[in-house]
Amino acid sequence: MKLIWSPELATKAYLDTVKACGISQESGVAELVSAMAAGWNAKFIVETWSHGGPVATSIGLAVASRHSGGRHVCVVPDEDSRSEYMRALRQAAAAGGGNSIDVPAGDQVVVGEPEEVMRGLAGIDFLVVDSRRKDFARVLRAARLSGRGAVLVCKNAGSKQSASFRWRSVMDGGSTRRLVRSVYLPVGRGLDIAHVATSGAGNSTGGGGQGKGQSRWIKHVDRESGELHVIRK
């Protein structure tokens, strides 16, 4: 199995997120990640959130999960952050007027250090992290991805914290996950997005995809867009 794009679901999620969020601090980011998560028909959507962060992206991901029929989980570092997060969502729902905003149930908000929590969440196929957190790269490495592959998104990718970040640093040498494509978009404070194939997706050789040297991966950087493409030969 592999991730399959649905323009119809992406459009519906985008429009519903616009209605739910209106113009906000994360305007543009929320709509885009919602469209991507729904469009890829993500069944397990996970994000990290910490004190003081906006919740528009969370609303967008909740909308996406409704369209894809999946599950949306938000990971927060402590109980204070959990209370603040839930309060912010309720305020957003109250301010939304007639627009429908889903406020997650208690079991959809997981408390704990993100890196540790990720080790207990299996089958993630859409993950959003905040590049301003010092541990964001470790969280990406710790994530247990779906056998269909996954889309990984770094918000605030223009921050100093992410200046030296490279997607290859969160791959594992190709044994279970490979970078298919990545792109940086100047949306919000920057979005760094990667499509990752896992050993259970896009890999016909089996056995971790080694193929006994019968195939190789070639990297190509588009000079105009700056996108990295990984092609199997």
Side-chain angles (χ1 to χ4, degrees):
M1 293 181 67
K2 63 180 180 178
L3 294 175
I4 299 175
W5 179 253
S6 169
E8 181 180 1
L9 287 179
T11 301
K12 289 179 178 179
Y14 181 92
L15 293 175
D16 283 352
T17 302
V18 170
K19 294 176 184 177
C21 295
I23 303 299
S24 70
Q25 183 178 343
E26 286 193 310
S27 184
V29 174
E31 294 91 333
L32 180 57
V33 297
S34 178
M36 286 194 300
W40 286 115
N41 200 26
K43 298 304 181 183
F44 192 13
I45 302 169
V46 179
E47 65 169 320
T48 62
W49 188 91
S50 55
H51 171 74
V55 295
T57 294
S58 290
I59 295 170
L61 293 175
V63 169
S65 68
R66 189 169 68 235
H67 284 288
S68 69
R71 180 187 177 199
H72 167 226
V73 167
C74 181
V75 180
V76 298
D78 50 51
E79 286 294 342
D80 288 342
S81 294
R82 181 183 183 278
S83 297
E84 181 186 348
Y85 174 74
M86 296 297 290
R87 182 167 56 251
L89 283 176
R90 287 192 292 268
Q91 291 172 349
N99 297 322
S100 175
I101 293 179
D102 295 329
V103 177
D107 61 350
Q108 292 175 282
V109 182
V110 180
V111 178
E113 287 301 320
E115 184 178 355
E116 295 299 324
V117 172
M118 290 299 160
R119 296 191 176 99
L121 300 177
I124 298 170
D125 48 17
F126 199 90
L127 174 62
V128 181
V129 300
D130 190 340
S131 298
R132 292 177 299 184
R133 284 187 58 95
K134 294 181 179 180
D135 64 349
F136 83 94
R138 296 198 303 272
V139 172
L140 291 169
R141 278 194 293 269
R144 298 173 63 189
L145 306 182
S146 165
R148 301 193 306 153
V151 175
L152 310 179
V153 181
C154 296
K155 297 192 306 180
N156 300 305
S159 65
K160 292 181 180 179
Q161 189 67 39
S162 63
S164 61
F165 174 73
R166 298 293 182 272
W167 282 109
R168 64 175 178 272
S169 69
V170 299
M171 299 299 116
D172 56 6
S175 62
T176 60
R177 58 169 75 175
R178 293 190 180 91
L179 180 65
V180 176
R181 183 181 182 184
S182 68
V183 62
Y184 175 87
L185 299 177
V187 179
R189 296 181 179 178
L191 286 176
D192 200 355
I193 305 165
H195 180 192
V196 177
T198 62
S199 58
N203 182 2
S204 60
T205 62
Q210 296 302 314
K212 296 183 180 180
Q214 295 177 3
S215 62
R216 61 195 179 101
W217 293 83
I218 298 176
K219 294 182 179 180
H220 170 70
V221 178
D222 189 310
R223 293 185 179 181
E224 294 185 2
S225 67
E227 295 179 5
L228 172 66
H229 302 272
V230 183
I231 305 168
R232 191 171 190 176
K233 293 291 187 178

